[in-house]
Amino acid sequence: MDYVNLGRSGLQVSPLCLGTMNFGPLTSEEDSFAIMDKAHELGINFFDTANVYGWKKGEGVTENILGRWFAQGGGRRERTVIATKLYGDMGDWPNERRLSALNIRRACDASLKRMQTDYIDIYQAHHVDRNTPFEEFWEAMEILRQQGKIIYVGSSNFAGWHIAKAQETAARRGTFGLTSEQSHYNLLTRAVELEVLPACEDYGIGVIPWSPLAGGLLGGVLRKIDKGRSASDTMVRELDKHRDKIEAYEKLCDELGEDPAYVALAWLLRQRAVTAPIIGPRTLEQLEGSMHTLEIDLDEATLARLDEIFPGHRTAPEDYAW
């Protein structure tokens, strides 16, 4: 495994990040443990989760699974760069959501308890909170860092100007600011190329794309349907909207002799500011297969063909002005 720095930081992470959102709702605890053990065996040291994962309000189902896995010992916690997130509803009362200093403090302590660890490597805002000033956000995060409860701070789903405002506020306070930004980014969803990626590149923030396979549309969906595998109603509707593009894409992947899922991940690794796409395997086989991504070298001609199939964006304002 060739590890990479997360943005401008000295933190080294694997170029694929293990997403844990399926742990609990779709993947049993036993299978989740096996996937995490295999991830370490394969050299993946970067895991992502969130306090709301498991989708049972206030229970932190997925973080609890991680905690029980860490508790087995054997260097599991020490070898893992764990990133978790806060923002979503963890209860029905005020201050059990969003990014107030009060919720940041309470949510961090709750995540630490669930994951049975005394520190979080990367503590991420799951969304921007327009009602909390960045001065309050940074003061709360600085206190957590001083207490040794977190090491780095990250964001998720921030617009370019949110990133700039966060960084400039941090700079005025003399602190490091954001280390990472988790954005919705894949061949079909490329709006972050307008301002988010340029902002992250300029500030030295590592981008961690989520939904790199566009909910399965870029994972060989036509091949699977042709083989009689069922698809959700949402998947069918999205496929109907993008069928021409998906057909052209899977044809290109056939020419390359590569699985569409791995081509989509390999493409992300070639994009500016991207550190590690988040993969969300439900099985060991899916995890092991993902490692082939790191062996794929997309040449300039292939990258150009992918841009023809899935047109992207130039940096703003040139994308829409002169």
Side-chain angles (χ1 to χ4, degrees):
M1 180 70 69
D2 292 325
Y3 296 95
V4 294
N5 285 67
L6 181 58
R8 70 195 185 287
S9 77
L11 182 66
Q12 291 204 310
V13 297
S14 50
L16 294 176
C17 177
L18 179 67
T20 63
M21 191 170 67
N22 291 324
F23 294 178
L26 297 177
T27 305
S28 70
E29 183 162 322
E30 180 182 1
D31 289 344
S32 299
F33 282 15
I35 288 172
M36 289 188 283
D37 283 334
K38 175 57 73 171
H40 273 184
E41 182 182 323
L42 296 170
I44 296 175
N45 74 332
F46 192 14
F47 294 8
D48 176 73
T49 192
N51 60 359
V52 294
Y53 287 174
W55 314 116
K56 293 182 179 180
K57 187 184 289 186
E59 293 188 21
V61 172
T62 303
E63 284 189 334
N64 275 309
I65 290 174
L66 278 158
R68 289 188 287 270
W69 182 71
F70 286 145
Q72 294 180 91
R76 287 175 171 82
R77 176 64 186 96
E78 293 76 11
R79 292 198 299 266
T80 303
V81 173
I82 186 66
T84 193
K85 300 183 285 291
L86 82 149
Y87 177 90
D89 291 1
M90 292 298 285
D92 296 322
W93 283 81
N95 304 309
E96 292 186 291
R97 60 186 66 83
R98 309 258 175 131
L99 302 178
S100 69
L102 178 59
N103 188 49
I104 287 173
R105 175 177 175 172
R106 289 175 174 174
C108 181
D109 285 345
S111 287
L112 290 170
K113 183 177 180 179
R114 283 190 291 267
M115 293 194 292
Q116 302 189 47
T117 183
D118 56 3
Y119 70 98
I120 294 165
D121 298 285
I122 309 168
Y123 201 35
Q124 305 163 110
H126 210 159
H127 200 280
V128 65
D129 182 356
R130 295 176 177 86
N131 295 319
T132 299
F134 277 110
E135 289 82 1
E136 178 180 350
F137 171 81
W138 282 123
E139 182 177 46
M141 290 296 185
E142 289 160 19
I143 290 171
L144 292 180
R145 185 181 284 122
Q146 290 163 5
Q147 292 173 334
K149 294 179 179 179
I150 68 171
I151 300 177
Y152 298 97
V153 179
S155 59
S156 181
N157 304 308
F158 276 30
W161 76 274
H162 297 140
I163 291 168
K165 193 169 184 179
Q167 292 305 86
E168 294 307 314
T169 304
R172 288 196 299 271
R173 300 178 66 87
T175 61
F176 192 74
L178 298 173
T179 302
S180 61
E181 157 61 23
Q182 224 180 96
S183 286
H184 189 191
Y185 188 29
N186 55 56
L187 278 163
L188 273 168
T189 304
R190 299 180 61 170
V192 293
E193 294 171 350
L194 286 163
E195 298 193 20
V196 173
L197 296 191
C200 288
E201 186 175 47
D202 189 69
Y203 283 112
I205 297 169
V207 176
I208 312 166
W210 62 266
S211 193
L213 303 185
L217 285 177
L218 299 171
V221 61
L222 293 176
R223 301 177 182 187
K224 294 171 183 176
I225 290 176
D226 288 345
K227 292 179 180 178
R229 299 187 194 178
S230 61
S232 67
D233 292 341
T234 301
M235 174 78 76
V236 171
R237 286 196 299 270
E238 289 300 306
L239 179 58
D240 287 343
K241 288 195 296 184
H242 303 289
R243 180 173 288 273
D244 290 347
K245 292 181 179 180
I246 299 302
E247 287 178 348
Y249 175 62
E250 293 197 17
K251 180 180 178 182
L252 171 58
C253 292
D254 285 337
E255 293 174 16
L256 296 173
E258 298 289 357
D259 187 292
Y262 309 149
V263 172
L265 292 169
W267 176 82
L268 278 170
L269 287 171
R270 290 292 302 271
Q271 305 312 302
R272 63 196 302 185
V274 169
T275 297
I278 299 174
I279 57 173
R282 293 192 299 272
T283 65
L284 282 173
E285 291 73 23
Q286 290 177 345
L287 172 64
E288 291 172 324
S290 296
M291 298 303 294
H292 178 60
T293 299
L294 305 179
E295 301 172 0
I296 297 176
D297 184 17
L298 300 177
D299 60 28
E300 294 301 322
T302 300
L303 292 170
R305 289 183 64 185
L306 288 168
D307 282 337
E308 290 174 5
I309 297 169
F310 303 106
H313 296 277
R314 293 183 296 162
T315 299
E318 289 82 4
D319 187 80
Y320 47 78
W322 56 272

